[in-house]
Amino acid sequence: MQPGAEWGRLYDHEVAITPSSDSFNLRFSELTEGSETRPRDTALRAFDIALSAFFLLVTLPVTLPITLVLLATSGRPLFYRGERVGRGGHVFEMLKFRTLRRNAEERLGPYLGEELVHRTGEETTAIGGWLRATQLDEIPQLWNVVRGDMSLVGPRPIRPRFFAELVEELPAYWQRLVVRPGLTGFAQVRRGYETSMAEKLAHDLEWIADRSLRLYLRTLATTAWRVLRQFARGVSGRS
């Protein structure tokens, strides 16, 4: 398949800017449906379900107090629900504990990268900064994994409007949709937040080409170690 030619045939700007439409999903489904499926994908999905369900149970003693504190300090809604592009172009709602003021997503929508980080800080609630520092706000995404919207390992999900922009800038970007987006990703454990989208894409495509159980478990182990260190820094108040 020639990615640039295939994308040129299927891409329509008016469809791309209305990513929740059926036409948007159909076009990306057509691009990805010919991708090779592997027996290991079934094994990875089984690991996703088992590990996510386990982690949801293990984190209950943490999530219940967080829920009560959020309700007392910030009120409803309890969760942030952000549209993200998933496997085959399916648009789903990614869950997080809400760490920003109400309707912050609308105000942050036009921004990406460093500017987004700066403006997000201005929108953060009292407990939100601590939840992000300890990465506890990410726990609800385990439910996205159980539901099948996401995997534990894969390219990090991105908002539809930015996906439409990046797929014009980087013709191979649509290939991220061959697999489910991940709670963590190969690009994230190898490179920092400031890494260019093109370089992150190269690492994501390396994961998609491999996606072995060995690499899956290694990525999870690396992520777990980083999360534990980040949690310790967040609890101690160190940046």
Side-chain angles (χ1 to χ4, degrees):
M1 181 186 294
Q2 296 295 323
E6 189 72 3
W7 173 249
R9 180 175 69 82
L10 293 173
Y11 179 75
D12 183 287
H13 181 66
E14 293 303 315
V15 171
I17 62 175
T18 56
S20 60
S21 69
D22 291 338
S23 297
F24 178 93
N25 296 339
L26 177 62
R27 274 171 157 76
F28 287 117
S29 295
E30 289 177 358
L31 279 168
T32 57
E33 68 183 2
S35 301
E36 178 188 5
T37 57
R38 307 173 184 177
R40 72 186 66 172
D41 292 334
T42 302
L44 294 179
R45 181 61 189 146
F47 271 88
D48 275 344
I49 295 172
L51 291 175
S52 296
F54 172 74
F55 290 138
L56 281 170
L57 289 174
V58 167
T59 55
L60 270 179
V62 176
T63 56
L64 291 177
I66 289 174
T67 299
L68 295 175
V69 172
L70 283 173
L71 289 174
T73 59
S74 302
R76 297 177 183 274
L78 180 63
F79 298 109
Y80 159 83
R81 299 172 182 268
E83 283 195 338
R84 297 293 186 270
V85 181
R87 184 181 183 186
H90 168 68
V91 177
F92 67 97
E93 286 190 334
M94 187 185 73
L95 301 175
K96 288 187 179 185
F97 281 123
R98 185 167 62 87
T99 61
L100 304 178
R101 299 186 182 98
R102 292 185 184 87
N103 302 318
E105 177 79 356
E106 297 175 10
R107 296 186 290 275
L108 295 173
Y111 304 102
L112 191 62
E114 294 290 337
E115 184 65 18
L116 177 61
V117 172
H118 173 71
R119 291 181 179 270
T120 296
E122 296 177 345
E123 295 280 358
T124 301
T125 61
I127 190 178
W130 181 79
L131 286 175
R132 282 208 304 272
T134 56
Q135 298 192 327
L136 293 174
D137 62 317
E138 306 277 355
I139 290 175
Q141 285 177 59
L142 292 168
W143 179 242
N144 284 121
V145 177
V146 171
R147 290 197 319 184
D149 299 324
M150 296 173 62
S151 172
L152 287 176
V153 179
R156 283 296 292 160
I158 192 168
R159 287 184 242 176
R161 65 172 296 170
F162 290 127
F163 182 87
E165 293 172 6
L166 285 165
V167 84
E168 286 189 280
E169 181 182 337
L170 302 168
Y173 203 78
W174 68 268
Q175 294 181 48
R176 297 168 94 252
L177 304 186
V178 170
V179 298
R180 292 179 177 86
L183 183 62
T184 185
F186 197 39
Q188 281 64 44
V189 300
R190 281 185 144 189
R191 291 292 182 265
Y193 186 81
E194 298 79 10
T195 304
S196 70
M197 300 305 287
E199 188 175 351
K200 286 181 180 178
L201 175 61
H203 294 294
D204 286 333
L205 294 180
E206 185 177 345
W207 157 255
I208 293 167
D210 187 310
R211 63 181 193 274
S212 63
L213 182 58
R214 179 173 174 270
L215 186 57
Y216 173 93
L217 293 174
R218 192 175 76 189
T219 304
L220 284 181
T222 303
T223 300
W225 174 243
R226 289 190 176 188
V227 168
L228 287 173
R229 288 191 302 170
Q230 181 67 30
F231 178 78
R233 285 197 296 265
V235 169
S236 65
R238 290 183 290 130
S239 58

